[in-house]
Structure formats: C-alpha cells, structure tokens
C-alpha cells in the first residue's frame, strides 16, 4: 500500500476524514469520531478556530519561512505533535508501528498512548531515532502502573504525559449505543493480560468505558504527583488543563509542560473550546513552562492561530488516525507534512517568516 501514490483527492486534512471513514469499521469509526454527550465540545473546539482571524502584514520578506522549533529540547520540523490516541489497530493493521514510522519520517514527535495495540518498546523501535513521549493514565493498580512508568525510560521515552482529565471516562453515547467491545487484536499491549472486560460485548454500554471505571484511579490529587516522580526521573507533562487555576498549580508542582486539552471533546460535554481557554492558561503560566494545546486543529491556519494566542506547539489527534487509515505510515506522514506546508503558506501570507514572529498581534477574535 505504501508504494501507491497518495490519493489525489486528499488535498487538505479534512479530505482524509471522508477517505478514512470508508476504511474503518463502523463502531470503531464512532469510537474515533465521537465525543461526550451531545458532542458540543467537539463542535466548540472547531468553532473557536472559526472565531479567530489572522491579521496579515504585507511587504515583509517571506522568501524563507521556517517552521522548525524546539520543544523541551527536541528539535522538531514544525510545532505540530502527534496527540496520544488509543488503539491504532482500529485504523490500520500496523497500528502504532505505522504511526511511529510516519511521524518519524515527517520529523514529528509522537506521544504514544498508554492504550496502544503494540507495546511501548515495539513502538519505540519502529520510531527509530525520532523523539517520543509516553502518555499515562493513572491506574488503580499501583504496581502495574509503576511498572509501566519504569519501562518508559528504558524504552527511550523522553517525557511522561499524564492525562488528568480522565478520572472516569466521559459519557460516549455512540459507543454505548454500539455496545462497543474490542476485538482480540485491538486490546492494549502494554498490559500483560488484557482485561476480558474490554472484549466482552454488553447491551447498551461500552466495554471501553466499563474497563476505564475498573482500571482508572479517580482518587488521585496533586499530592500524588510526588509518587510518580519517585518512580521516574523523566520530565512530567500534564495533559487536560483548561483553567488558569490548574495551570498555576501545575507550574507550582514543577511540571515540564502543560497541554491545554479537553480530550478532543470526549470527556466533559463542555461548550468551551480549548482555543477559547488557551489565552487564560498562557497568561497564568507566564512563560514558566511550554504551553501546548489540542482539540480541533485541522490546518496550518489553525496552527498559526494557536501559536498567535501563545501556544508553543499543538497536538493533533483524529487527523493522524485518518492518515493512518487511508495509507498507513505514508498516510500519517502525508497528513503531518500537509499541516507543515499549510503553515508555511500561512506564515508567508501573514508576513511572519518565523514562529517567534507569530505573536499576539497576528490574531484577534
Ligand atoms: C480515538 C481517540 C483516542 C484517544 N485516546 C487518548 C488516550 O489514550 N490518551 C489521551 O491522553 N488522550 C486520548 N485522546 C485525546 C487526544 O490525545 C487529543 O486530546 C484529542 O484527540 C485532540 O483533539 P483532535 O482529535 O480534535 O485533534 C484520544 C482521542 C481520540 C480521538
């Protein structure tokens, strides 16, 4: 498949969505596309980008725009990072191995989900020399959790991304209506024994949600971060911060970076987009650590808008899965390169040839 020319229809990231949909099983597609409750949060993530307008400057030398940047010491081709998403074999048989190869080929940092269909070690090998971070959900079973944390550094992961917006799973109606359960080849590989709950189909409920209730520790607080630091010296990033108050607490707890995220609208059905809350988080952090953002980033234009509102980089979730479904590793690379090419064009059109020059003056609501 990788040798075939990329489908000519896919000229922008959204084009990949329709192509991917035709390739993915219906209930898996709903898992990927869906969100919590009425899915207002998904819509608001996108709508917020629609409310922001760029302010182009002209007669600036834009003959050599550059998207390269550095995040936590990693040299990246662009300020676009692959968000952690679970179960890539829902999209393609090569799953996270293809994602890792595709991201590496595009010079993009891949945040591997804790719930991957290949082990973190296999994924690390597939990604070669590319930088990688590991996303974590805090599990009830501290021994199991601590073991996973300790494996990360050995496998070459360079930071831990603790997802903090998931004490329980959001109410995902599509999955409940589909009685979603995983096939044996789609179960999480980092756990020694896949929970049988995940493969057990029950009427009107999602096996993924049932497993989360059983596995996730909903009691953890800021005080527990010290325990995590005791198990790993890797930099700790918190993903799922959407208020100034929590951003300040995160900085006080010494985090290496913050990801402003509402989990792609999959947790709280909250009608505020992540772009809307980005400025308050950026102000609260006041440059003390990098601020990343995700949710609804679908074009180079969106990347520029997020940077103008103060983000150091963005993460993309679903678009990477669309690329993966369409053409495996090559599809992932193509989606990521597309975002980079679009960003370059937008930079030229707004007269900001460097990422640093995409400042607050480049955007308004
Ligand atoms: C299918 C799917 C699975 C996801 N799995 C995880 C996960 O395992 N861990 C996590 O922290 N976030 C997970 N997320 C959230 C993403 O990391 C990210 O916050 C979100 O997808 C960004 O929004 P976007 O899809 O609009 O780009 C998942 C999102 C999707 C769509």
């Amino acid at each position: 498949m990788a040798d075939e020319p990329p489908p000519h229809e896919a000229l922008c990231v959204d084009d990949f969505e329709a192509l991917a949909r035709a390739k993915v099983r219906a209930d898996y597609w709903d898992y990927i596309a869906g969100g919590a409750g009425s899915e207002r949060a998904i819509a608001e993530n996108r709508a917020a980008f629609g409310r922001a307008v760029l302010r182009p400057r002209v007669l600036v030398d834009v003959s050599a725009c550059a998207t390269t940047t550095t995040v936590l010491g990693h040299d990246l081709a662009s300020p676009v990072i692959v968000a952690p998403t679970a179960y890539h074999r829902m999209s393609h048989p090569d799953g996270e191995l293809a994602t890792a190869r595709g991201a590496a080929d595009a010079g993009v940092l891949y945040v591997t989900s804790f719930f991957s269909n290949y082990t973190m070690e296999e994924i690390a090998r597939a990604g070669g020399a590319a930088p990688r971070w590991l996303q974590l959900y805090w599990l009830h079973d501290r021994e199991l959790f601590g073991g996973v944390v300790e494996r990360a550094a050995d496998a070459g992961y360079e930071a831990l991304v603790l997802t903090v917006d998931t004490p329980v799973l959001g109410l995902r109606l599509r999955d409940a209506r589909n009685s979603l359960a995983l096939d044996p080849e789609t179960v999480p590989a980092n756990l020694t024994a896949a929970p049988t709950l995940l493969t057990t189909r029950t009427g009107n409920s999602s096996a993924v949600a049932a497993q989360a209730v059983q596995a996730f520790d909903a009691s953890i607080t800021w005080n527990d971060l010290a325990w995590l630091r005791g198990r790993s010296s890797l930099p700790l990033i918190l993903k799922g911060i959407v208020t100034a108050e929590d951003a300040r607490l995160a900085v006080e707890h010494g985090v290496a970076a913050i990801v402003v995220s509402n989990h792609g609208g999959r947790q709280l059905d909250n009608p505020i987009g992540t772009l809307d809350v980005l400025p308050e988080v950026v102000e609260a952090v006041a440059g003390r650590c990098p601020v990343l953002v995700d949710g609804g980033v679908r074009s180079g234009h969106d990347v520029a808008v997020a940077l103008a509102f103060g983000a150091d980089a963005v993460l993309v979730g679903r678009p990477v899965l669309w690329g993966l479904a369409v053409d495996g590793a090559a599809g992932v690379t193509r989606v990521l390169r597309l975002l980079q090419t679009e960003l370059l064009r937008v930079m030229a059109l707004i007269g900001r040839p460097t990422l640093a020059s995409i400042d607050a003056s480049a955007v308004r609501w």
Side-chain angles (χ1 to χ4, degrees):
M1 274 203 81
D3 294 328
E4 288 175 16
H8 71 274
E9 300 93 334
L11 297 177
C12 64
V13 168
D14 285 336
D15 286 347
F16 279 89
E17 181 174 11
L19 293 169
R21 183 175 199 148
K23 298 211 165 200
V24 178
R25 206 173 95 179
D27 57 344
Y28 285 177
W29 179 262
D30 275 341
Y31 172 73
I32 292 166
S38 63
E39 304 191 344
R40 286 178 305 177
I42 296 182
E44 275 306 309
N45 281 348
R46 285 297 304 139
F49 282 101
R51 285 191 292 274
V53 286
L54 289 168
R55 302 181 63 248
R57 300 296 307 274
V58 298
L59 292 175
V60 176
D61 179 358
V62 291
S63 57
C65 296
T67 62
T68 47
T69 188
T70 306
V71 176
L72 294 188
H74 305 298
D75 293 328
L76 306 179
S78 81
V80 175
I81 292 171
V82 175
T85 52
Y87 309 132
H88 286 200
R89 292 197 74 183
M90 285 185 175
S91 301
H92 191 279
D94 295 341
E96 290 83 5
L97 303 183
T99 311
R101 284 187 208 113
D105 283 350
V108 169
L109 192 156
Y110 170 26
V111 187
T112 302
S113 167
F114 178 79
F115 285 115
S116 49
N117 296 134
Y118 290 90
T119 64
M120 66 173 97
E121 290 83 4
E122 291 168 321
I123 299 166
R125 280 194 291 277
R132 63 187 63 92
W133 298 343
L134 183 72
Q135 178 266 331
L136 300 171
Y137 287 118
W138 200 299
L139 304 179
H140 266 306
D141 185 336
R142 286 264 169 130
E143 264 330 287
L144 182 66
F145 183 52
V148 169
V149 169
E150 283 167 7
R151 274 163 64 196
D154 291 341
Y157 290 84
E158 292 166 273
L160 299 175
V161 180
L162 179 68
T163 299
V164 290
D165 59 13
T166 316
V168 297
L169 223 61
L171 177 60
R172 303 181 190 163
L173 292 171
R174 295 198 207 198
D175 297 346
R177 291 193 177 115
N178 290 333
S179 304
L180 176 70
L182 301 182
D183 276 353
E185 65 271 19
T186 324
V187 297
N190 284 325
L191 307 172
T192 38
T196 46
L197 251 183
L198 273 172
T199 50
T200 308
R201 201 172 286 278
T202 42
N204 264 332
S205 70
S206 153
V208 173
Q211 190 259 344
V213 168
Q214 194 190 61
F216 294 177
D217 188 346
S219 75
I220 59 154
T221 70
W222 294 98
N223 295 333
D224 292 294
L225 298 183
W227 181 90
L228 187 53
R229 290 180 184 289
R231 300 296 287 248
S232 173
S233 55
L234 292 177
L236 180 62
I237 297 165
L238 296 187
K239 172 173 179 280
I241 301 281
V242 285
T243 60
E245 297 92 303
D246 282 341
R248 273 187 220 104
L249 277 168
V251 171
E252 284 161 20
H253 283 79
V255 301
I258 284 172
V259 184
V260 176
S261 173
N262 60 15
H263 218 106
R266 297 161 74 80
Q267 288 297 98
L268 191 64
D269 192 11
N270 188 355
I272 297 183
T274 44
L275 188 73
D276 284 315
V277 300
L278 175 65
E280 86 170 54
V281 172
V282 167
E283 193 187 349
V285 169
R288 290 175 289 169
C289 73
V291 176
L292 317 180
V293 65
D294 73 18
V297 174
R298 299 291 179 266
S299 69
H301 183 279
D302 297 341
V303 179
V305 165
L307 296 192
F309 278 122
D312 293 281
V314 303
L315 283 70
V316 285
R318 294 178 183 88
V320 173
L321 298 176
W322 302 337
L324 178 64
V326 169
D327 202 11
V332 170
T333 304
R334 192 156 143 69
V335 163
L336 296 170
R337 289 229 175 102
L338 197 51
L339 288 169
Q340 191 184 330
T341 313
E342 287 176 353
L343 176 59
L344 275 173
R345 182 180 289 113
V346 171
M347 290 169 78
L349 290 173
I350 62 173
R352 268 86 174 181
T354 62
L355 296 184
S357 63
I358 308 179
D359 59 14
S361 72
V363 76
R364 70 170 172 77
W365 293 111

